[in-house]
Amino acid sequence: MNKTLEKLKKIHDLCLCHNLTISTAESCTGGYIAKYITDQTNSSKYYKGTIIAYSNEVKTKILKVPHDLIADNGAVSSEVALSMASGALEVISTDIALSVTGIMEENKDYSQKSPQVFISVKSIDKHDTFHFNLDGDREANREKTVYYAISCLYDFINKHYLLS
């Protein structure tokens, strides 16, 4: 996870330098992203919190993801990832919100979908959503997802805040 920590340090510096605040909404990672961010000294200066929306009920009640959006697209979809980020942006009131929703391992009893993750990064007027297929075991896929999410956040900040 050295690459993740390197990106986190850069995000830390960028957020402090540009006075940006961040929130997260996590499903499949269950708080891993928040843990990595809060492991950084002084992260409280820019990181406001997370909502762990592991169940669809939390996605709809707390993050205000429309039930029909989940019914029509599935909880693991780009549409739900974007809606989760929108919900976190509003509920936690930050400049940028990062969300993840996915499947971390094969489970034919529960889902016919293969391991994959959708990641959204959103500000008030901009957003990017990404899809990654995963091929490791549950733990390896969670670690990869944290790395992908942190990388997407870093790229979003660079693209939308530093090039203007």
Side-chain angles (χ1 to χ4, degrees):
M1 289 308 280
N2 286 339
K3 290 180 181 178
T4 302
L5 297 177
E6 289 172 17
K7 293 259 180 166
L8 273 173
K9 175 66 175 132
K10 291 176 182 176
I11 289 169
H12 176 91
D13 293 343
L14 288 170
C15 286
L16 292 177
C17 181
H18 297 280
N19 200 29
L20 296 172
T21 56
I22 296 172
S23 59
T24 53
E26 299 184 61
S27 182
C28 57
T29 49
Y32 258 37
I33 296 168
K35 183 232 182 290
Y36 275 93
I37 293 172
T38 59
D39 280 349
Q40 306 301 304
T41 303
N42 291 322
S43 58
S44 63
K45 292 183 177 181
Y46 60 90
Y47 183 67
K48 300 302 178 190
T50 193
I51 296 169
I52 299 174
Y54 204 65
S55 71
N56 289 344
E57 181 180 9
V58 174
K59 288 176 182 74
T60 58
K61 286 187 176 180
I62 306 293
L63 293 173
K64 307 298 183 206
V65 175
H67 182 271
D68 290 348
L69 196 69
I70 295 173
D72 293 346
N73 300 286
V76 178
S77 64
S78 60
E79 295 85 359
V80 169
L82 181 56
S83 187
M84 287 173 63
S86 296
L89 198 66
E90 183 178 328
V91 170
I92 303 176
S93 188
T94 55
D95 298 309
I96 301 169
L98 167 70
S99 72
V100 295
T101 183
I103 297 172
M104 295 293 102
E105 66 186 341
E106 292 284 341
N107 186 346
K108 297 298 182 191
D109 294 338
Y110 177 71
S111 173
Q112 297 302 311
K113 293 183 178 181
S114 60
Q116 59 186 295
V117 65
F118 289 90
I119 299 168
S120 277
V121 187
K122 185 172 184 351
S123 64
I124 288 293
D125 58 351
K126 300 170 182 70
H127 67 85
D128 291 324
T129 300
F130 307 89
H131 176 251
F132 299 95
N133 290 308
L134 304 167
D135 59 7
D137 63 20
R138 184 177 187 80
E139 186 61 24
N141 286 341
R142 287 177 82 185
E143 293 286 344
K144 283 180 194 174
T145 297
V146 170
Y147 173 72
Y148 292 149
I150 295 300
S151 295
C152 292
L153 177 59
Y154 175 74
D155 292 344
F156 184 88
I157 293 170
N158 276 304
K159 177 179 173 185
H160 296 295
Y161 289 91
L162 302 182
L163 300 179
S164 52

